[in-house]
């Protein structure tokens, strides 16, 4: 894919939000960024924007839950130095008693199995690079519970434990495992997708919060962690807006 020694960063869920912002910032930091997501038009648009800015980017449509497609994608790259497991998301906000098992299953498939698929597929290349980095974008939902978040919380706890266990298992190899756990982030799609297009419900998530985190805030955090010296591993970094003290304690100016 590349003919020079430019380090390669693969970013999943890169068509919008945190993934797109991370792709832009890693490209500006000197990486050849490979953007993946299911929506081909979105990642191609972001890749075109990055290349127009004078940086290096390639788009590759991918469903992270499709293991044969993931394996084929990994085999198509000459190298991989950084893997950012960003693809994920939430569906619904129903209590455990009435939550839809299909929603729970889909969240687990994308947030956990998708991360597992990409990590397993790229771990050989990351190790061969001599200085690889796996980033797992979890959530504060992976560290503490809240009402109405059971399925998403369970999935993000799974992603958190995956990162923690992988770090134990590959210690001594030239691969870092970094977990970034954002709190309240306002992006163009997260809450709207969670509430199946109900923009009124989505808006209420951020009502009265002066400054939720932005996608760029989280991307900046990811890029900072990835670009630390090789011997420095940011095991777990929790980042919230100042107005949020916990998953359920948020200052709102209403």
């Amino acid at each position: 894919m590349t003919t020079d020694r430019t380090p390669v960063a693969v970013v999943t869920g890169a068509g919008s939000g945190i993934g797109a912002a991370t792709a832009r910032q890693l490209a500006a930091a000197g990486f050849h960024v490979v953007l993946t997501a299911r929506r081909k038009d979105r990642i191609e648009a972001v890749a075109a924007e990055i290349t127009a800015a004078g940086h290096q980017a390639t788009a590759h449509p991918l469903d992270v839950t499709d293991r044969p497609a993931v394996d084929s994608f990994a085999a198509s790259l000459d190298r991989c130095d950084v893997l950012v497991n960003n693809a994920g998301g939430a569906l619904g906000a129903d209590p455990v008693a009435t939550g839809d098992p299909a929603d729970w299953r889909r969240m687990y498939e994308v947030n956990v199995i998708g991360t597992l698929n990409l990590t397993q597929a790229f771990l050989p290349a990351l190790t061969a690079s001599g200085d690889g980095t796996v980033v797992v974008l979890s959530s504060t939902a992976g560290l503490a519970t809240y009402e109405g978040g059971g399925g998403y919380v369970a999935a993000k706890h799974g992603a958190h434990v995956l990162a923690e266990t992988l770090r134990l298992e590959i210690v001594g190899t030239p691969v870092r495992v970094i977990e970034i756990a954002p709190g309240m982030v306002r992006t163009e799609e997260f809450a709207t997708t969670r509430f199946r297009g109900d923009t009124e419900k989505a808006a209420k998530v951020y009502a009265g919060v002066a400054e939720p985190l932005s996608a760029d805030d989280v991307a900046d955090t990811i890029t900072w962690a990835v670009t630390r010296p090789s011997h420095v591993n940011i095991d777990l970094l929790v980042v919230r807006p100042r107005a949020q003290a916990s998953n359920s304690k948020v200052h709102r100016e209403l």
Side-chain angles (χ1 to χ4, degrees), residues 23-142:
R24 294 185 189 101
Q25 292 197 29
L26 287 176
F31 289 88
H32 182 133
V33 178
V34 184
L35 301 90
T36 75
R38 290 178 299 165
R39 294 174 294 188
K40 183 173 182 285
D41 59 328
R42 292 289 188 93
I43 53 173
E44 287 182 343
V46 179
E49 176 191 332
I50 290 170
T51 56
H55 308 305
Q56 299 182 56
T58 306
H60 187 104
L62 183 70
D63 180 347
V64 298
T65 67
D66 183 342
R67 185 54 185 261
V70 169
D71 288 340
S72 178
F73 167 53
S76 74
L77 300 188
D78 297 332
R79 64 182 293 177
C80 180
D81 301 87
V82 173
L83 169 64
V84 180
N85 287 297
N86 167 72
L91 291 172
D94 300 314
V96 172
T98 57
D100 186 343
D103 286 346
W104 283 55
R105 187 173 293 109
R106 178 62 184 167
M107 286 187 280
Y108 191 85
E109 284 286 337
V110 177
N111 290 282
V112 184
I113 302 301
T115 297
L116 177 67
N117 285 341
L118 268 293
T119 301
Q120 288 183 337
F122 278 102
L123 201 52
L126 291 163
T127 304
S129 76
D131 188 17
T133 300
V134 175
V135 177
V136 175
L137 195 75
S138 61
S139 167
T140 54

